[in-house]
Amino acid sequence: MAASRHRRRRTAIATALAAVALTTALATGCDAVDKALDCVQTADTIADGVTRLQQAVENASDDPTQIDQSLQTIDTDLDRIGDRTDDTDVNKAVDDLQKAVDNVRTAVRNGDRTPDISPVTDAAGELTKVCTP
């Protein structure tokens, strides 16, 4: 009878450990999926921001402050991605896009009313590519 009790106890402990391991594996997998979805959603938001930036550049003669507002929105979205991922490719794409945004901002501050934003759109496309699960 004592052997039977020990066997049941070992079985119960093994079952509990297996359940903990399975739960941990599932939670980790879900975290990775959640992070990927966050990245995709934020990259999509950045794509919208880049579209607004293109429109702001086209309408710069009407309201030059729209360019700076669009750049600030992209900065905020980039910060959100950078804070949520440890992925090297995503971080590189975020850094490249940040540099492109900074270059456009510098051009605008130097008086360029129609800055070349193609590096921003290229970098945003790369970010979208690396965020795709």
Side-chain angles (χ1 to χ4, degrees):
M1 215 178 233
S4 175
R5 205 174 331 161
H6 286 313
R7 224 177 286 136
R8 276 189 246 144
R9 187 178 304 169
R10 274 190 235 151
T11 302
I13 290 171
T15 302
L17 289 174
V20 168
L22 180 61
T23 302
T24 301
L26 289 174
T28 302
C30 289
D31 285 347
V33 170
D34 287 344
K35 285 182 181 180
L37 287 174
D38 284 344
C39 185
V40 169
Q41 290 168 344
T42 306
D44 187 45
T45 300
I46 287 174
D48 291 342
V50 171
T51 299
R52 284 190 300 276
L53 176 60
Q54 289 171 326
Q55 292 168 346
V57 168
E58 290 171 9
N59 300 324
S61 60
D62 296 333
D63 185 3
T65 62
Q66 285 183 3
I67 294 174
D68 193 49
Q69 291 169 352
S70 296
L71 293 171
Q72 185 56 46
T73 299
I74 294 170
D75 281 338
T76 302
D77 294 335
L78 287 174
D79 288 343
R80 282 199 332 236
I81 290 178
D83 291 344
R84 292 182 180 174
T85 187
D86 295 329
D87 185 283
T88 315
D89 293 332
V90 172
N91 283 329
K92 182 181 178 338
V94 166
D95 290 345
D96 291 347
L97 183 50
Q98 186 63 61
K99 287 176 191 170
V101 166
D102 290 344
N103 289 339
V104 170
R105 182 176 282 117
T106 299
V108 170
R109 286 186 184 148
N110 289 337
D112 189 350
R113 295 284 184 208
T114 56
D116 178 16
I117 63 167
S118 60
V120 173
T121 56
D122 293 345
E126 184 61 28
L127 177 61
T128 300
K129 214 179 337 179
V130 298
C131 279
T132 304

